[in-house]
Amino acid sequence: MSKRRRRKVLPAEPIHCQIEKLSHDGRGICHLDGKTQFVDAALPRESVMAKYVSTRRSFDELRALEVLEASPERETPPCEYADLCGGCSLQHMAPDAQIAFKEQTLKEHFAHFGGIEPEEWIAPMRSQGLGYRRKARLGVRFVPKRDAVLVGFREKRNSFLTDIDRCVVMDPRIGERISDLRELFYGMEAYRTIAQVEVACGDDVAAMVFRNMEALSESDTDKLIAFGKAHELHIYLQPKGPDTVHRIWPESAGRDDERLSYRLDDFDVTLQFHPMDFTQVNAEINRSMVRQALDWLAPQDDERVLDLFCGLGNFTLPLARKAGQVVGVEGDDAMVVRGRENAELNGLDNIRFHGANLQGDFTGEAWAAEGFDKILIDPPRSGAQEVCEYLTAFGARRIVYVSCNPATLARDAGVLVDKGYRLVKAGVMDMFPHTTHVESMALFERV
């Protein structure tokens, strides 16, 4: 029988750290006796006292306890829970510095992958930093020792929940309801068995999806409905898998009725979505992002455009207002259905939505037979390396790549450049203020 590994005993005394720079995940970096130290809540050029959180062979992890010499980029976080809550990691950093950090991260990734650099760096796309987040997952946990129900996000670098009363970065329709939500749970019979709450906001309506691991009593169901009425929220339950999600308030007329929506006024389109669908979390940035993507792609009324990883049609429908024909392709069949619903809702008959495996060669698919003049691609964090290997078969004059991961964007940019495209311009979009998430957009043109 193997012996249980002993937990390392961490040094008890705080140490002095002189921060040199930031890691890509927003932690300060310094060195002690040749060993790298990652320090949470510390900024470049700061002198801090920090305590050990963990230690490894090649690096240590610490957390700043006291700032001895503060950076001019440091500011007081707008949220009282910022030091503990893991929902945000850069609230102690001034907004201009956050943007500069994200731009530098994108530049470093481009440089790392073959020394690629755009011909033009575009000014960052910015939005308000508070009240912007429309999608989130709130954890729920009963703590017997405290006889309390906690509702919130995980603490930084552990599995505990932060005990919060409000969240200033979330849409106020949800963010200002955390304490009310906690009181609701504490008064329910199922206070031990609600695991999480998915929240989603449209322009006019916000929704909560309660993950109930056991069937709710009639009394508890009534309390959830009363909560929805009092705060003008749509209330859903999820007793098992995602396909069991259903609305209990307002009373549902069927799955097709269970929709939220948002507008893209620049293109006169309304997009409907189910609360569990993927949508962009920041409505202000999304509107600017769609506008910039179409400006860069410049679709014409005699052109055929391909939208890959199209989701429910966030780019596809605006493209259809400008291009002759648009093909939206998505790997999730539910999103293909949603895209078709949205095309019909907006009276657009020049769009075709298709489901396809975007990890292999799709150039032989029937929808690809006529080729494309221009292409928009908005992949997940894993990027689209395989897709980029096949895109050049279409000979599209322009490709706009929307990215949520600078590392995979840079890698895929290398593929496109090797296959005869030039990287014309690129820039970051601050979709997630106060976090280290780097969203960006790049334009490629055929040489």
Side-chain angles (χ1 to χ4, degrees):
M1 184 180 293
S2 61
K3 290 185 178 180
R4 197 172 181 177
R5 292 184 66 182
R6 290 186 177 181
R7 205 171 193 177
K8 289 184 179 180
V9 178
L10 299 174
E13 293 298 315
I15 64 170
H16 177 259
C17 300
Q18 191 67 42
I19 308 301
E20 303 158 18
K21 60 180 181 178
L22 284 187
S23 65
H24 287 162
D25 65 359
R27 292 182 290 176
I29 296 177
C30 64
H31 294 84
L32 179 64
D33 299 328
K35 192 176 184 182
T36 301
Q37 320 281 117
F38 293 101
V39 186
D40 263 330
L43 297 175
R45 300 180 300 282
E46 287 191 331
S47 174
V48 304
M49 296 300 294
K51 69 172 183 177
Y52 282 88
V53 175
S54 71
T55 181
R56 312 281 180 89
R57 179 176 299 177
S58 57
F59 65 90
D60 296 325
E61 296 181 305
L62 302 95
R63 178 158 185 78
L65 295 176
E66 180 185 3
V67 178
L68 305 177
E69 295 180 27
S71 163
E73 296 174 345
R74 178 174 285 277
E75 67 172 33
T76 302
C79 174
E80 60 191 292
Y81 309 105
D83 289 342
L84 188 61
C85 180
C88 300
S89 54
L90 293 180
Q91 285 199 15
H92 59 292
M93 193 177 193
D96 287 349
Q98 291 183 33
I99 289 291
F101 162 69
K102 294 179 181 187
E103 288 186 302
Q104 185 60 33
T105 298
L106 180 60
K107 290 177 180 180
E108 288 175 2
H109 279 299
F110 274 133
H112 177 73
F113 286 91
I116 300 170
E117 185 171 351
E119 297 169 14
E120 179 184 2
W121 286 105
I122 301 302
M125 190 181 296
R126 304 181 66 167
S127 73
Q128 60 181 359
L130 302 178
Y132 71 85
R133 185 156 190 161
R134 288 189 168 194
K135 293 275 286 185
R137 175 180 294 169
L138 292 166
V140 182
R141 188 170 300 168
F142 174 68
V143 183
K145 290 182 179 180
R146 297 173 55 180
D147 189 29
V149 177
L150 307 185
V151 179
F153 300 103
R154 287 184 178 181
E155 294 181 0
K156 287 183 169 69
R157 307 191 190 282
N158 68 51
S159 60
F160 299 121
L161 280 188
T162 312
D163 188 10
I164 64 175
D165 291 323
R166 59 196 291 262
C167 175
V168 298
V169 301
M170 290 180 68
D171 186 301
R173 291 172 289 179
I174 302 295
E176 296 297 329
R177 299 280 179 265
I178 306 298
S179 60
D180 298 325
L181 194 57
R182 187 173 61 240
E183 290 179 17
L184 167 69
F185 286 133
Y186 194 70
M188 292 174 64
E189 298 169 26
Y191 64 93
R192 293 175 181 268
T193 59
I194 301 290
Q196 64 191 36
V197 183
E198 298 274 354
V199 298
C201 302
D203 287 347
D204 302 319
V205 176
M208 289 185 171
V209 182
F210 293 83
R211 176 69 176 94
N212 57 305
M213 296 185 291
E214 296 180 2
L216 298 183
S217 67
E218 184 177 348
S219 173
D220 279 356
T221 301
D222 289 343
K223 287 174 182 177
L224 288 177
I225 291 174
F227 184 83
K229 289 179 179 179
H231 299 294
E232 299 182 328
L233 300 169
H234 284 195
I235 303 297
Y236 290 72
L237 294 181
Q238 182 188 346
K240 293 183 180 179
D243 60 338
T244 66
V245 173
H246 62 284
R247 195 173 74 199
I248 61 171
W249 176 258
E251 186 175 344
S252 176
R255 293 299 175 92
D256 292 344
D257 175 54
E258 297 176 351
R259 299 288 184 269
L260 307 176
S261 68
Y262 63 92
R263 285 278 301 169
L264 295 174
D265 287 332
D266 287 352
F267 305 99
D268 188 27
V269 297
T270 297
L271 291 108
Q272 292 186 339
F273 63 97
H274 187 275
M276 300 296 283
D277 290 344
F278 171 81
T279 55
Q280 299 293 350
V281 303
N282 189 323
E284 182 182 355
I285 286 290
N286 186 55
R287 288 190 291 267
S288 299
M289 177 178 72
V290 173
R291 187 184 312 122
Q292 178 171 287
L294 266 73
D295 285 347
W296 288 11
L297 206 58
Q300 304 300 308
D301 59 12
D302 62 344
E303 291 180 330
R304 191 170 146 86
V305 180
L306 175 64
D307 180 11
L308 292 174
F309 304 95
C310 65
L312 50 78
N314 189 52
F315 293 102
T316 329
L317 271 65
L319 282 167
R321 292 290 193 209
K322 302 291 184 180
Q325 292 289 327
V326 180
V327 173
V329 183
E330 170 60 49
D332 183 340
D333 290 340
M335 291 294 95
V336 174
V337 172
R338 202 80 73 242
R340 290 170 180 164
E341 289 176 358
N342 281 318
E344 183 177 356
L345 175 70
N346 289 273
L348 292 165
D349 59 6
N350 61 334
I351 302 177
R352 297 293 178 269
F353 285 93
H354 299 277
N357 175 13
L358 293 177
Q359 303 303 317
D361 185 358
F362 50 81
T363 55
E365 296 284 347
W367 49 262
E370 296 179 35
F372 300 95
D373 300 291
K374 292 170 182 175
I375 298 172
L376 187 143
I377 178 171
D378 182 14
R381 287 189 60 79
S382 56
Q385 187 171 13
E386 297 87 352
V387 169
C388 290
E389 294 286 348
Y390 302 115
L391 283 189
T392 53
F394 298 122
R397 294 189 297 279
R398 286 186 180 178
I399 299 173
V400 168
Y401 190 129
V402 180
S403 168
C404 59
N405 185 344
T408 53
L409 168 60
R411 179 200 66 199
D412 297 348
V415 174
L416 291 174
V417 169
D418 287 344
K419 289 185 172 294
Y421 283 83
R422 60 191 182 97
L423 177 53
V424 178
K425 49 189 173 183
V428 300
M429 305 177 293
D430 201 15
M431 183 72 75
F432 293 86
H434 304 302
T435 77
T436 58
H437 290 290
V438 181
E439 308 266 335
S440 51
M441 188 183 298
L443 171 64
F444 298 85
E445 289 186 353
R446 193 176 61 196
V447 176

